[in-house]
């Protein structure tokens, strides 16, 4: 079962802005496209904060095998998450929200 961690709006420049929410964290995030420096380098950088921003993660563009839709695989870290990274997918909503939301961040817990 996937859990929604955040809602995001895509800007004309390809960046996304929104709020990530967990039980302990509520953070304003901006996901910005960057130039890839190597084949395995991220396609996006994830920043927290308004005004002065702090890098908290990265994102890689992926294509879904079943639908052919493009989405971002996100890897986000912060001390509040402990030693583990939060891994989520930023996917496009079929029907944008009334508040302008176009994408959601989904987290799927891994079986341990």
């Amino acid at each position: 079962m996937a859990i929604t961690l955040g809602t995001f709006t895509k800007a004309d420049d390809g960046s996304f802005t929104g709020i990530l929410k967990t039980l302990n964290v509520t953070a304003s995030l901006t996901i910005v496209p960057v130039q890839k420096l190597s084949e395995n380098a991220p396609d996006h950088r994830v920043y927290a904060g308004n005004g002065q921003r702090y890098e908290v993660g990265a994102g890689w563009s992926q294509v879904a095998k079943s639908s052919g839709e493009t989405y971002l695989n996100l890897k986000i870290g912060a001390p509040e998450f402990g030693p583990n990274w939060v891994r989520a997918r930023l996917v496009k909503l079929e029907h944008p929200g009334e508040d302008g939301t176009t994408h959601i961040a989904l987290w799927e817990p891994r079986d341990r």
Side-chain angles (χ1 to χ4, degrees):
M1 173 175 98
I3 297 169
T4 300
L5 292 182
T7 56
F8 293 82
T9 302
K10 186 173 184 178
D12 292 337
D13 66 0
S15 66
F16 300 86
T17 57
I19 304 292
L20 176 81
K21 291 185 179 183
T22 69
L23 291 175
N24 297 320
V25 175
T26 298
S28 295
L29 297 183
T30 303
I31 303 167
V32 180
V34 295
Q35 183 176 352
K36 285 179 78 87
L37 300 177
S38 69
E39 184 177 333
N40 293 329
D43 299 294
H44 292 75
R45 295 286 180 187
V46 181
Y47 298 96
N50 293 321
Q52 186 171 4
R53 299 185 309 185
Y54 303 92
E55 187 172 346
V56 295
W60 289 262
S61 294
Q62 302 286 310
V63 176
K65 294 177 185 175
S66 58
S67 67
E69 291 287 327
T70 300
Y71 65 94
L72 292 181
N73 258 337
L74 300 175
K75 184 176 173 183
I76 302 168
E80 295 85 347
F81 299 144
N84 299 313
W85 293 86
V86 170
R87 296 179 186 269
R89 288 177 289 137
L90 188 67
V91 298
K92 186 175 183 178
L93 290 171
E94 289 185 33
H95 306 287
E98 292 179 14
D99 61 354
T101 301
T102 59
H103 291 71
I104 57 173
L106 296 174
W107 172 67
E108 289 192 43
R110 296 182 184 182
D111 293 333
R112 296 197 180 256

